Amino acid sequence: MSGEELENYESDMELQLYREYKTVVGLFNYVVETERRFYLANQVDVKTLSNAGEVYFELTLTDAWVWDIYRQGRFVKSVRVLTFKDVNVEELNRDELQIPKEGLES
């Protein structure tokens, strides 16, 4: 596979993932961003922990969807994440979940 073919493949996979995201975002209550992944989830529990002076976060996500083009199954029942990096958790406002239809003109 040439470099161009690989780039086209990854671009196609990203586009498919974005379309899937648009389809499923309305099913979830939270958006969770870590340094490695982006998740949608219906329940989120974040614990701030420390060990030997190092602070880290333990996240438990229930009923989640994972943004990852290389995963076959993006829907997961439960996810546990440990990270020393920043974590962003946002509750989605159902009114904001209206995604404009493609092809509409302003």
Side-chain angles (χ1 to χ4, degrees), residues 12-25:
D12 289 343
M13 294 297 291
E14 274 293 323
L15 183 57
Q16 286 177 358
L17 186 60
Y18 175 72
R19 288 179 177 149
E20 183 177 325
Y21 166 81
K22 284 179 24 175
T23 301
V24 302
V25 68

Side-chain angles (χ1 to χ4, degrees), residues 21 24-34 37-46 59-67 74-81 87-94 97:
Y21 166 81
V24 302
V25 68
L27 302 173
F28 297 94
N29 297 319
Y30 298 93
V31 172
V32 179
E33 293 177 86
T34 69
R37 296 277 192 278
F38 175 88
Y39 302 91
L40 297 172
N42 280 322
Q43 292 181 325
V44 178
D45 179 44
V46 180
L59 290 81
T60 304
L61 312 176
T62 305
D63 187 22
W65 180 87
V66 183
W67 179 288
R74 291 185 191 88
F75 289 95
V76 289
K77 183 176 181 176
S78 160
V79 176
R80 181 173 172 243
V81 178
V87 173
N88 184 39
V89 178
E90 295 180 30
E91 185 171 5
L92 293 169
N93 182 343
R94 293 291 178 191
L97 296 179

Side-chain angles (χ1 to χ4, degrees), residues 101-106:
K101 294 184 186 204
E102 293 180 29
L104 290 179
E105 296 180 4
S106 302

